[in-house]
């Protein structure tokens, strides 16, 4: 059982770090996150996924500039880590039950 939890945790950490890297590289190229939940508001867009939060506040006047800020969110990272670890753990249990 401990091995299954450890394996699920390692796989989850790897998936989270790879997804975070993909989001960061996509942000550098496009100023958006690739793998993220998007929330739209009047003059603001917030994207969060795999430990990163992108806040984009749009300028309302032609003389102003947009404000784009990328932040690391430990809470988001931990939440994604736990969810993926649980999914992987369940998959491991199901595979072991099928094999006998």
């Amino acid at each position: 059982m401990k091995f299954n939890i450890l394996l699920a945790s390692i796989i989850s950490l790897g998936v989270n770090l790879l997804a975070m890297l993909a989001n960061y590289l996509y942000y550098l190229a496009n100023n958006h996150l690739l793998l993220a939940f998007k929330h739209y508001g009047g003059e603001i867009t917030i994207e969060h996924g795999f430990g990163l939060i992108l806040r984009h506040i749009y300028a309302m006047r032609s003389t102003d500039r947009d404000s784009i800020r990328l932040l690391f969110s430990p809470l988001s990272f931990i939440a994604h880590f736990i969810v993926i670890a649980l999914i992987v753990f369940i998959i491991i249990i199901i595979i072991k039950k099928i094999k006998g």
Side-chain angles (χ1 to χ4, degrees):
M1 184 64 109
K2 285 185 182 182
F3 176 74
N4 293 344
I5 294 171
L6 181 63
L7 181 61
S9 297
I10 291 170
I11 292 171
S12 178
L13 182 63
V15 168
N16 275 300
L17 291 176
L18 286 175
M20 184 186 289
L21 178 64
N23 271 344
Y24 182 69
L25 294 176
Y26 194 82
Y27 164 75
L28 292 177
N30 301 308
N31 285 336
H32 291 284
L33 299 180
L34 178 63
L35 307 167
F37 296 105
K38 295 174 175 59
H39 303 280
Y40 300 99
E43 68 277 350
I44 189 168
T45 302
I46 297 175
E47 304 174 24
H48 60 90
F50 298 99
L52 296 176
I53 294 179
L54 176 69
R55 186 182 67 206
H56 187 163
I57 301 174
Y58 297 92
M60 294 285 104
R61 292 179 281 199
S62 61
T63 57
D64 292 339
R65 293 179 43 193
D66 287 358
S67 172
I68 300 172
R69 187 160 185 198
L70 183 69
L71 304 165
F72 174 71
S73 171
L75 185 61
S76 173
F77 185 82
I78 291 169
H80 283 92
F81 172 80
I82 290 171
V83 168
I84 292 174
L86 286 173
I87 292 169
V88 171
F89 181 72
I90 291 169
I91 291 171
I92 290 171
I93 298 270
I94 290 171
I95 290 172
K96 288 198 177 199
K97 291 223 184 232
I98 290 173
K99 285 188 174 182

